[in-house]
């Protein structure tokens, strides 16, 4: 499931690929993914629109189209790919595999841009689109803090995290903090030296400060690394973050050599180092 670092990685690569382009053609291949309009109305509204910016709000991408915004929520999974214009005469070597002639399998929406390139959205799992007026509030957007925002101070973070439940559940609660899911919560807790099953109410002042600092540091590093290794940006480039605990049950801790423990916590997979985390 894409989390903040992956959505931000997608946003950065999209920004390079599509800002300044105009949408020339729209193919809605799975109308159910469009929340706000019929397939025809959606296509009509997008056709001819210039993409002036690409923003991120939590785990959603906002394509700014002048006075309208195309909102894409990743939800469980989704792949966005930018394909350069198909080479004339097949001379172009790299990066244009597949071209833009036919709709790729699993595609829900394909936008053809004025430079001949295409933007395809495929393999969507519960992902959805909506077209809003600029400045309108997205009903799907939770009232949660942005962990990397300059306004998210230690105090703001501590208040948002709250005192209820386990620390892993609190950190990945989308109504409290936007964009942190099961994977990055575990990586953050490893770096902060905290076991995922600790009660959120039981952290000392020092532990809370470490959690705040590591949350921002891990997310920033993850964005710089292009996200987790299974994620690909819109050019197909994989994430390069080296996971410390997530998915590594039974393997040696990269810091101390102890065996990483796996299990389940609140119905989700959980991972921690019994020596590095307390
Ligand atoms: Zn360790």
């Amino acid at each position: 499931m894409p989390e903040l670092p992956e959505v931000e990685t997608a946003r950065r690569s999209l920004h390079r690929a599509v800002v300044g382009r105009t949408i020339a053609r729209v193919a809605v291949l799975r109308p159910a993914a469009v929340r706000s309009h019929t397939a025809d109305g959606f296509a009509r509204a997008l056709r001819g629109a210039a993409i002036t910016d690409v923003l991120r709000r939590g785990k959603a991408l906002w394509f700014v189209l002048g006075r309208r915004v195309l909102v894409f929520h990743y939800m469980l999974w989704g792949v966005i790919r930018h394909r350069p214009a198909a080479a004339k005469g097949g001379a172009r070597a790299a990066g244009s595999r597949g071209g833009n002639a036919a709709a790729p399998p699993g595609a829900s929406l394909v936008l053809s841009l004025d430079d001949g390139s295409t933007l395809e959205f495929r393999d969507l799992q519960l992902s959805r689109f909506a077209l809003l007026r600029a400045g309108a509030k997205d009903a799907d957007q939770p009232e949660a803090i942005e962990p990397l925002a300059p306004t998210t101070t230690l105090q703001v973070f501590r208040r948002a995290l709250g005192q209820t439940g386990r620390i892993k559940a609190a950190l990945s609660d989308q109504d409290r903090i936007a964009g942190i899911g099961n994977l990055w919560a575990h990586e953050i807790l490893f770096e902060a030296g905290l076991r995922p099953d600790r009660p959120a109410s039981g952290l000392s002042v020092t532990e809370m400060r470490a959690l705040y600092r590591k949350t921002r540091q891990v997310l920033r590093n993850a964005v710089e690394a292009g996200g987790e290794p299974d994620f690909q940006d819109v050019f197909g480039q994989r994430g390069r973050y080296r996971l410390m605990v997530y998915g590594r049950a039974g393997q040696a801790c990269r810091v101390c050599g102890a065996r990483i423990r796996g299990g389940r916590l609140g119905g989700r997979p959980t991972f921690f180092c019994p020596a590095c985390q307390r």
Side-chain angles (χ1 to χ4, degrees):
M1 183 187 303
E3 302 178 24
L4 186 155
E6 290 75 37
V7 182
E8 179 61 20
T9 295
R11 186 198 70 79
R12 289 181 177 193
S13 53
L14 277 166
H15 199 275
R16 270 193 287 152
V18 304
V19 168
R21 301 265 63 92
T22 295
I23 300 170
R25 285 196 311 281
V26 181
V28 181
L29 303 157
R30 207 168 59 86
V34 179
R35 280 304 185 84
S36 58
H37 291 65
T38 62
D40 281 352
F42 186 72
R44 241 194 332 269
L46 289 181
R47 213 175 296 131
I51 304 170
T52 53
D53 206 353
V54 185
L55 311 172
R56 181 185 60 77
R57 297 277 184 273
K59 294 203 268 187
L61 289 168
W62 286 37
F63 297 83
V64 181
L65 313 166
R67 280 157 48 193
R68 286 179 139 147
V69 180
L70 170 63
V71 179
F72 174 68
H73 283 273
Y74 267 101
M75 305 306 280
L76 293 186
W77 188 248
V79 174
I80 308 177
R81 274 291 183 288
H82 180 257
R83 310 263 179 214
K88 296 249 175 0
R92 191 116 146 229
S96 60
R97 191 160 49 98
N100 61 354
S108 289
L109 174 68
V110 179
L111 303 178
S112 304
L113 306 178
D114 59 345
D115 62 351
S117 68
T118 56
L119 195 59
E120 62 186 54
F121 297 78
R122 62 175 159 82
D123 304 335
L124 307 187
Q125 288 178 28
L126 301 181
S127 319
R128 52 195 188 225
F129 302 95
L131 196 55
L132 310 175
R133 279 196 315 278
K137 206 173 140 29
D138 179 6
D140 287 332
Q141 192 62 38
E143 296 282 342
I145 61 159
E146 276 284 342
L148 290 182
T151 49
T152 299
T153 60
L154 171 59
Q155 267 189 333
V156 168
F157 178 80
R158 190 178 53 209
R159 210 177 309 128
L161 200 64
Q163 298 279 306
T164 53
R166 311 269 185 193
I167 190 65
K168 199 285 294 180
L171 201 54
S172 55
D173 181 346
Q174 297 309 297
D175 291 331
R176 305 189 203 188
I177 302 172
I180 302 174
N182 209 40
L183 188 152
W184 291 109
H186 280 96
E187 293 298 308
I188 289 164
L189 289 168
F190 174 82
E191 297 294 343
L194 299 168
R195 284 177 56 139
D197 60 353
R198 288 272 301 271
S201 58
L203 300 194
S204 70
V205 172
T206 314
E207 287 173 331
M208 181 60 77
R209 191 176 299 128
L211 181 60
Y212 167 71
R213 279 215 301 264
K214 293 301 180 182
T215 296
R216 289 162 63 96
Q217 186 186 314
V218 167
L219 293 176
R220 278 204 196 98
N221 290 346
V223 169
E224 288 311 313
E228 54 105 350
D230 280 342
F231 185 78
Q232 298 179 27
D233 72 11
V234 304
F235 306 118
Q237 167 91 49
R238 279 190 184 275
R240 298 169 308 282
Y241 193 96
R242 196 158 169 253
L243 297 174
M244 301 299 275
V245 286
Y246 193 85
R248 300 193 68 242
Q251 298 179 47
C253 172
R254 300 193 202 275
V255 172
C256 74
R259 205 179 274 270
I260 301 293
R261 292 221 188 123
R264 292 190 88 75
L265 181 64
R268 310 287 310 277
T270 190
F271 306 92
F272 65 94
C273 172
C276 293
Q277 291 171 263
R278 302 285 157 143

